[in-house]
Amino acid sequence: MPTQAYDCRILVDALDLSGQSNQFALKIDAQAIEYQVFQQSAKQRLPTDPAATLDHSGYWEGPNAGNLEKEIYDRLGANGTGQVAAILGASAAAPVCYIFPTAYSAVLDMQAQTAQLLTVAGQWIVASGAFYRGQLLYSGPVSATGAQGGQDFGALGTNGGRAWLWVHSIAGTAVNATITVQSDDNAGFSSPSTRGTFTFSTAGARAFEIALSAVERYLRINVTGLGGATGFTVSVIAGAAGISY
Amino acid sequence: MPIKSAPNCTVVYNAINITQYLTTAGMKATVEAIETTNLASTAKESSPGNTDWSIDLAGEWAKALDDAIMPDVITPPATLRTLVVTYGAAGAIATYTWTSKAFPQAYNPTADATTTLKFTATIGVNGAPVRT
């Protein structure tokens, strides 16, 4: 069954820019090296380090922080980087996510045309390190401690993994709020193990990346401390090495 | 007698049949033409050089398709994968097999709010297939 593309989201640091965006395209090139040797009539090629870019476009909604043009501009080239994620099939049982943990915007393209809406386009490029693929563990409001969600990664991951957090908003003031990533070998999480912990506060960054120790087949988040806040809205994505990426 | 493309083409990558996710499967072999024209030639002359094989795919994005391809894009496999492409109806099938010679060379999922999620991909191969 095809997936409706409107059921996608795009996150940039604390912001969910989905409501201002209408297109994205992920381009990955394996940077294949071609070579030739004797006794082989066909071209030989091997993959090297992949390179990825994420083209992203939408509509002008104003010049302020939180608007697409401003957020792309603020991260142009050396100005800064952001933690970017594209989520495909956000309402599906297992939303697939592509994550650029440190990305800068390489393009800001504004187009004004009569009888058309003012459009904004950009391109995200990984600034350093790798890009990843994962699944959305949870996205939404949290007003109390406790476990949320849960995803089946389909197989046991024996090489650990990584997780990413976007804190979209905090109600009240949080000091060292904590969210853990847990895994278990069953969907009921009868005996979960903590594989990594996010810690965040009202003052400071709103996007984080952590490594996970050896993960089992099922992953979920557990909000272990609100840090004094009355609640927050977050998105958490996790990937299992050798399974997701 | 010509036949329709569907259901007379299959693509199996790393033992995973991804045919159901494809709307297009193109396989191309291009032989390099090495010019050998010399002073005695009365017309342009060439000799065949190496053959470049490529497999271009396109279709409707699905998690299962992404599961099959994306991990190999992010972390290229140390041992390349096996790719099998078939054309033809039952009883009259041509099969091209690259055993432990294939990897995703390019992968492009796209989202446009007006339609469904789609993708294009190029499977790179190391050398020639075995045709049966």
Side-chain angles (χ1 to χ4, degrees):
Chain A
M1 172 73 77
T3 302
Q4 292 295 335
Y6 67 75
D7 191 23
C8 292
R9 296 173 62 193
I10 186 159
L11 310 180
V12 178
D13 292 329
L15 300 166
D16 183 343
L17 295 175
S18 307
Q20 303 176 53
S21 305
N22 69 330
Q23 291 184 346
F24 66 71
L26 180 69
K27 298 177 183 176
I28 304 175
D29 184 345
Q31 306 284 304
I33 292 179
E34 298 178 350
Y35 65 98
Q36 204 55 49
V37 293
F38 298 136
Q39 297 299 302
Q40 292 288 346
S41 63
K43 190 168 283 186
Q44 312 287 301
R45 55 171 59 87
L46 293 173
T48 59
D49 298 325
T53 60
L54 180 67
D55 293 337
H56 171 201
S57 61
Y59 300 103
W60 167 273
E61 298 218 356
N64 303 313
N67 293 140
L68 183 59
E69 175 268 342
K70 178 71 162 69
E71 298 303 330
I72 291 175
Y73 174 83
D74 282 350
R75 294 168 181 79
L76 268 177
N79 287 349
T81 60
Q83 181 169 285
V84 179
I87 303 172
L88 287 72
S91 63
V96 173
C97 311
Y98 305 128
I99 305 100
F100 288 20
T102 52
Y104 66 90
S105 64
V107 169
L108 174 60
D109 183 356
M110 309 284 298
Q111 293 293 323
Q113 186 176 344
T114 55
Q116 298 292 333
L117 300 176
L118 183 57
T119 62
V120 180
Q123 183 184 73
W124 301 102
I125 295 180
V126 177
S128 62
F131 61 96
Y132 296 91
R133 174 179 179 270
Q135 289 178 207
L136 184 66
L137 293 187
Y138 179 78
S139 182
V142 172
S143 57
T145 57
Q148 299 281 353
Q151 279 291 332
D152 179 1
F153 281 70
L156 172 65
T158 58
N159 298 313
R162 306 194 74 76
W164 301 268
L165 166 69
W166 289 260
V167 182
H168 302 303
S169 64
I170 300 175
T173 301
V175 177
N176 295 332
T178 53
I179 297 176
T180 64
V181 177
Q182 297 179 322
S183 74
D184 208 334
D185 60 4
N186 62 90
F189 288 88
S190 57
S191 55
S193 300
T194 294
R195 303 302 184 183
T197 302
F198 293 105
T199 304
F200 61 93
S201 302
T202 297
R206 295 298 181 90
F208 304 88
E209 176 185 25
I210 60 172
L212 303 177
S213 56
V215 298
E216 296 158 284
R217 174 172 168 176
Y218 299 87
L219 294 174
R220 71 177 184 185
I221 66 164
N222 186 13
V223 179
T224 51
L226 297 179
T230 55
F232 33 75
T233 301
V234 298
S235 296
V236 182
I237 295 170
I243 305 298
S244 310
Y245 63 87
Chain B
M1 171 74 77
I3 61 173
K4 297 186 300 180
S5 294
N8 298 311
C9 169
T10 67
V11 178
V12 178
Y13 173 78
N14 194 24
I16 301 169
N17 190 333
I18 60 173
T19 306
Q20 62 180 305
Y21 310 111
L22 306 179
T23 54
T24 304
M27 185 185 73
K28 180 185 287 188
T30 305
V31 180
E32 182 185 0
I34 301 173
E35 186 173 347
T36 55
T37 308
N38 57 67
L39 293 177
S41 302
T42 57
K44 199 165 194 174
E45 299 185 32
S46 66
S47 289
N50 304 121
T51 305
D52 188 3
W53 291 84
S54 65
I55 296 87
D56 293 317
L57 308 174
E60 296 288 338
W61 184 92
K63 182 178 182 294
L65 180 280
D66 200 84
D67 284 343
I69 291 184
M70 189 62 158
D72 283 354
V73 178
I74 295 176
T75 308
T79 300
L80 299 185
R81 309 302 192 189
T82 294
L83 176 71
V84 181
V85 180
T86 70
Y87 292 100
I93 294 177
T95 302
Y96 295 82
T97 304
W98 286 266
T99 302
S100 299
K101 290 185 175 182
F103 61 94
Q105 187 168 337
Y107 179 55
N108 304 312
T110 58
D112 182 324
T114 62
T115 182
T116 54
L117 287 170
K118 301 186 188 300
F119 81 96
T120 60
T122 296
I123 304 297
V125 289
N126 187 12
V130 171
R131 182 187 181 283
T132 55

